[in-house]
Amino acid sequence: MKNWILDEERRTVLFVVVSGLSLIVSFFNLFGREFPVDPAWAAILLCGIPIIKGAIEGLITEFDIKADVLVAIALIAAVFIGETFAAGEVAFIMVIGALLEERTVSKARAGIEKLVQLTPRTARIVQNTGETIIPAEQVQVGDILRVLAGETIAVDGVIINGQTSINQAVMTGESLPVDKGIGDEVSSGTVNQYGTFDMRATKVGEDSSLQRMIKLVESADASKAKIVGIADRWATWIVVIALSSAFITWLVTGEIIRSVTILVVFCPCALVLATPTAIMAGIGNATKYGILIREGDALERLAKVTHIAFDKTGTLTYGKPAVAAVESFDPNIAAGTVLSLVASAELRSEHPLGKAIITHYKSVSKEALQEPQSFTMLPGRGVQATVENNVILTGNEELLSEYSIAPPQELMNKAQEYKNAGSTIMYVAVNNNATGFIALSDTLRADAVDVISGIQAIGVKSVLLTGDNSQAASHIGQAVGISNIHSNCLPENKMSIIEQYQNKDEMVCMVGDGVNDAPALKKAHVGVAMGGIGSDIAVDAADIALIGDEIKCIPHLLRLSKKTMKTIKLNLTLSMLLNFVAIILAMTGILNPVLGALVHNIGSVVVIVNSALLSNWR
């Protein structure tokens, strides 16, 4: 019981339950005359006093007229003339509406804290006396740092010694590791996958890439204004019209009870329920399709979207390298043999490209791979292995140059075609002869084309934002049917592009999966994250998460948002019509406060039933 009292949400639920029971007892007079006070007072005290307190605080501290101002006036007036049940009933309905609204608003999330946790706490500094581990925040510009395999880079810098492959997914979203050597820049938060290298620090502390991204997420979140509830948006007019109508009726008829009835039926109960009930039903509908809506007003915002911006890697593609082609330029060695030799050579490799080649081989051949007789990992270049007494070299162009192997021009021309399509090339040399290559690329999602066409059919335009080069971006864009393409995008670039659209009053929905997408997801009018393969930070930054990573549900999500808004508008129309009729009846004296509250709350029931129909909408 103590936990229920101390927890605000639980306490509100407890008060609503007690208030509901007290109103039932009061209405049916279950205790007869034995009870010293009307049980409806429980609803007034538990539900009404917080409303009156909030209305007074809003008026005094912010001079802000909200819907609860009229409710507070109606409650006090009803109590003043002895209509206790009417006062308790109105307070009860308003608190239920507020509770539903709160449940659709997400709680504070830990996305920024998770970004902070990515920042390495220590760095290995190289001095004349040897290596020393120091706190990362103590690194100064110009310091020489040593980064071992598997370590996260603490600050931005330039490699001065060594070669490696860097996983840059955190910053650029690229699915494949990037080879780095002397003179290449590396960023904080990225991961050194192979080998050891030394680097000179160039940007430290708040100037580093990861810290700049944290600032971007914070600033984007702060700049996104929350949508004000419709009842509060119209509150000033509702209050003025209600008070004017009540006062004029009192002057004309001289009956205060009619004025109080007008205030009771004017209370915006149905208006308060119109939006949250529809949104909750929409959220329930979305859940059936593996869509988790994390922000209460996300559907409302999504209905206004004119553009959907997609990240490439992990969103339109699966985010994993796969063999696209195996080419042989040696008449004595078939393409299948090239694949077999390279797969055997990569058996002991931990590189993602090597694993992708082995996976591909196993999917096309049932023959067991030969264990390499020797194996050497060459960080930043590839591997060297001996398979069936053949010396196999497989890696990038630098590897072939190092061994003075000159590939024929025909091979290079063919490789360039695959590069233009966004593939990564693994050149293959057998016994120091350039034999062919294996092209690997990220695999396009099977339903990506249908999703883009479905979105365009709704009247929403698609945009591609990716950290990949222009050739890879263009290839994917053409494949799925997106013509508006932005390539080589860092996190701040994605964010600024979205801001440019929004400055033109074109609302953008961002769909992404990686840490590098977090600022854009926050900045966008609506952020949609891939919840399965996507990073926790991307999900925390987003308003909506696709639990099963199924982008095929996005067209349904767009249509659902528009249907939800139509439901909300219909709710408002029905409730206002009923209110108008009730006001006329109250002015003529046909309704008293209790009947007025009951008739008025029929509007709330209509709203709830209409919203519930949205749950099973297809």
Side-chain angles (χ1 to χ4, degrees):
M1 181 57 71
K2 181 180 178 181
N3 292 335
W4 278 83
I5 297 298
L6 294 177
D7 186 283
E8 184 178 353
E9 187 174 348
R10 287 184 172 186
R11 185 170 66 245
T12 303
V13 171
L14 181 63
F15 285 179
V16 166
V17 171
V18 173
S19 299
L21 292 174
S22 71
L23 289 172
I24 293 172
V25 171
S26 174
F27 184 76
F28 292 103
N29 196 23
L30 297 181
F31 292 160
R33 299 183 181 277
E34 300 173 8
F35 215 66
V37 295
D38 190 333
W41 271 103
I44 296 173
L45 295 174
L46 297 177
C47 295
I49 287 180
I51 293 174
I52 296 171
K53 180 185 174 186
I56 293 172
E57 287 177 351
L59 280 172
I60 294 175
T61 60
E62 303 173 18
F63 199 69
D64 187 15
I65 299 177
K66 293 183 178 179
D68 55 6
V69 172
L70 178 57
V71 179
I73 295 171
L75 286 176
I76 294 170
V79 170
F80 182 74
I81 66 168
E83 295 290 350
T84 310
F85 178 82
E89 185 184 12
V90 169
F92 176 70
I93 291 292
M94 290 299 294
V95 171
I96 286 179
L99 190 63
L100 288 173
E101 201 158 16
E102 285 174 15
R103 282 186 173 274
T104 64
V105 177
S106 65
K107 295 180 175 64
R109 300 180 303 275
I112 294 173
E113 285 78 3
K114 289 180 181 176
L115 271 175
V116 172
Q117 290 169 10
L118 283 179
T119 308
R121 298 183 183 276
T122 60
R124 183 178 286 97
I125 189 168
V126 180
Q127 299 171 321
N128 294 333
T129 54
E131 297 179 10
T132 306
I133 305 295
I134 64 171
E137 60 267 20
Q138 293 182 11
V139 176
Q140 303 293 320
V141 174
D143 284 349
I144 306 301
L145 305 180
R146 181 161 293 161
V147 184
L148 305 184
E151 291 185 340
T152 301
I153 299 170
V155 298
D156 293 8
V158 177
I159 295 177
I160 59 173
N161 183 33
Q163 289 183 312
T164 186
S165 292
I166 301 291
N167 183 339
Q168 299 186 143
V170 166
M171 298 306 301
T172 67
E174 291 173 285
S175 56
L176 304 177
V178 178
D179 294 333
K180 298 281 188 177
I182 295 173
D184 289 332
E185 295 182 350
V186 290
S187 301
S188 60
T190 59
V191 181
N192 176 29
Q193 293 207 306
Y194 309 103
T196 300
F197 67 88
D198 293 343
M199 58 175 279
R200 179 179 289 107
T202 57
K203 293 179 181 178
V204 301
E206 294 186 353
D207 293 329
S208 67
S209 302
L210 193 59
Q211 292 300 320
R212 289 203 312 272
M213 188 189 297
I214 293 170
K215 288 182 180 178
L216 288 175
V217 172
E218 290 173 329
S219 65
D221 192 33
S223 68
K224 186 190 288 183
K226 299 298 180 187
I227 291 177
V228 179
I230 290 175
D232 286 334
R233 209 179 302 163
W234 295 347
T236 303
W237 289 105
I238 292 172
V239 171
V240 171
I241 294 171
L243 291 177
S244 300
S245 301
F247 183 69
I248 292 170
T249 300
W250 184 31
L251 287 179
V252 173
T253 64
E255 296 182 26
I256 188 79
I257 195 167
R258 295 193 188 187
S259 299
V260 174
T261 305
I262 289 171
L263 293 176
V264 169
V265 298
F266 235 123
C267 284
C269 296
L271 281 179
V272 169
L273 291 171
T275 300
T277 54
I279 287 177
M280 286 191 72
I283 290 173
N285 182 299
T287 303
K288 297 175 184 177
Y289 293 86
I291 305 168
L292 173 64
I293 297 177
R294 309 179 69 250
E295 286 280 6
D297 61 348
L299 283 174
E300 193 172 353
R301 285 185 270 127
L302 191 61
K304 301 176 183 177
V305 161
T306 58
H307 292 71
I308 290 192
F310 287 92
D311 173 49
K312 181 185 81 71
T313 305
T315 305
L316 291 177
T317 67
Y318 288 107
K320 295 180 180 179
V323 173
V326 181
E327 298 281 354
S328 174
F329 290 83
D330 187 329
N332 298 317
I333 302 178
T337 304
V338 171
L339 176 62
S340 174
L341 290 172
V342 173
S344 294
E346 295 280 5
L347 266 177
R348 299 179 188 173
S349 172
E350 292 298 318
H351 198 286
L353 296 182
K355 290 183 176 181
I357 291 171
I358 295 170
T359 299
H360 177 73
Y361 175 84
K362 290 180 178 179
S363 69
V364 298
S365 176
K366 295 181 179 179
E367 295 184 16
L369 290 170
Q370 297 294 319
E371 280 288 336
Q373 294 154 293
S374 66
F375 172 82
T376 305
M377 187 75 192
L378 305 171
R381 290 161 293 167
V383 302
Q384 181 187 45
T386 303
V387 179
E388 297 178 351
N389 297 320
N390 294 301
V391 178
I392 310 299
L393 287 169
T394 179
N396 54 27
E397 288 184 60
E398 286 75 13
L399 178 64
L400 298 185
S401 298
E402 186 177 323
Y403 284 84
S404 302
I405 299 172
Q409 192 59 44
E410 182 185 5
L411 186 155
M412 299 303 290
N413 291 342
K414 190 67 174 178
Q416 189 60 44
E417 292 179 15
Y418 284 100
K419 285 182 180 180
N420 293 340
S423 295
T424 297
I425 303 299
M426 296 276 285
Y427 295 95
V428 181
V430 179
N431 298 323
N432 284 335
N433 292 316
T435 303
F437 64 82
I438 297 178
L440 298 101
S441 63
D442 202 354
T443 310
L444 187 68
R445 288 181 180 270
D447 48 13
V449 176
D450 291 337
V451 168
I452 300 302
S453 62
I455 290 170
Q456 292 171 347
I458 298 170
V460 177
K461 299 176 181 177
S462 298
V463 181
L464 180 61
L465 302 180
T466 176
D468 284 9
N469 60 56
S470 58
Q471 292 174 335
S474 179
H475 175 72
I476 291 293
Q478 290 175 5
V480 298
I482 298 178
S483 57
N484 195 345
I485 301 168
H486 300 270
S487 57
N488 297 308
C489 291
L490 292 174
E492 54 263 40
N493 300 135
K494 293 182 179 181
M495 190 170 157
S496 64
I497 290 168
I498 289 173
E499 189 172 14
Q500 289 170 18
Y501 279 108
Q502 295 181 340
N503 288 338
K504 301 174 186 175
D505 291 328
E506 296 176 339
M507 298 297 98
V508 180
C509 168
M510 176 69 192
V511 184
D513 75 301
V515 176
N516 65 299
D517 295 320
L521 289 168
K522 276 289 187 188
K523 185 66 179 177
H525 201 56
V526 182
V528 179
M530 308 295 283
I533 62 170
S535 72
D536 290 343
I537 293 161
V539 173
D540 284 327
D543 306 297
I544 299 171
L546 306 181
I547 302 303
D549 288 333
E550 295 287 351
I551 61 172
K552 66 181 180 183
C553 61
I554 291 178
H556 171 76
L557 181 60
L558 286 171
R559 290 191 174 93
L560 177 64
S561 69
K562 296 181 184 297
K563 178 65 177 177
T564 302
M565 288 310 298
K566 288 180 181 178
T567 300
I568 290 172
K569 290 174 182 176
L570 181 58
N571 285 345
L572 295 173
T573 303
L574 292 173
S575 61
M576 290 175 72
L577 281 174
L578 192 60
N579 266 22
F580 180 75
V581 172
I583 289 163
I584 299 298
L585 295 175
M587 286 179 173
T588 57
I590 297 174
L591 293 181
N592 61 32
V594 174
L595 285 177
L598 290 173
V599 171
H600 165 251
N601 288 328
I602 290 174
S604 302
V605 174
V606 170
V607 161
I608 292 170
V609 171
N610 187 48
S611 295
L613 297 176
L614 193 61
S615 298
N616 295 318
W617 179 79
R618 293 185 180 181

